[in-house]
Amino acid sequence: MSVPLYQAKAEMFRTLGHPARIRVLELLQHGPRPVRDLLAEIEIEASNLSQQLAVLRRAGIVTSYRDGPLVMYSLSTPDIADLLAVGRRILGQLLTDRDELLVELRARNE
């Protein structure tokens, strides 16, 4: 029995719902990176990064390959970078709306 589309989408968003995973994806949107570079940019333990990369890899969001001694990671599709950009725009709109509400609330209290 196949999983309903809405359930598959929810699982994908749950997979994305970790700050370290989002940071990894942000870094990878500029091209493949070795694990050591990711580790230098993300302030978490190596074992935790490895665990987060494994979650992303199992979900098919990132791919990995060997380049000599380095394990390289990349986004599985450029659409992931597009999704991050849309997320930034939505977040910007939500925060702008909150700022506008805050200004309106302060104006009404005066």
Side-chain angles (χ1 to χ4, degrees):
M1 179 177 263
S2 66
V3 174
L5 182 57
Y6 65 87
Q7 191 173 344
K9 286 179 183 178
E11 184 58 36
M12 181 190 70
F13 282 110
R14 270 193 297 276
T15 299
L16 297 175
H18 191 286
R21 293 182 207 143
I22 293 294
R23 186 65 182 127
V24 165
L25 298 176
E26 289 174 342
L27 293 169
L28 293 179
Q29 67 186 336
H30 303 294
R33 305 273 302 260
V35 174
R36 69 176 183 206
D37 288 3
L38 296 172
L39 193 55
E41 294 283 337
I42 304 171
E43 296 182 14
I44 60 174
E45 297 291 325
S47 60
N48 193 358
L49 177 60
S50 178
Q51 182 180 29
Q52 302 310 324
L53 288 167
V55 169
L56 292 169
R57 196 174 54 247
R58 278 192 305 274
I61 295 171
V62 301
T63 60
S64 65
Y65 60 93
R66 283 209 167 271
D67 184 11
L70 302 175
V71 176
M72 303 290 291
Y73 281 86
S74 62
L75 298 179
S76 61
T77 172
D79 291 336
I80 300 297
D82 294 342
L83 180 62
L84 293 172
V86 169
R88 281 191 299 277
R89 284 196 306 271
I90 291 169
L91 184 57
Q93 291 169 356
L94 294 174
L95 294 177
T96 299
D97 290 347
R98 290 180 186 162
D99 289 344
E100 290 172 5
L101 279 174
L102 185 58
V103 168
E104 185 179 333
L105 284 170
R106 287 181 179 159
R108 289 184 182 195
N109 287 333
E110 294 176 357

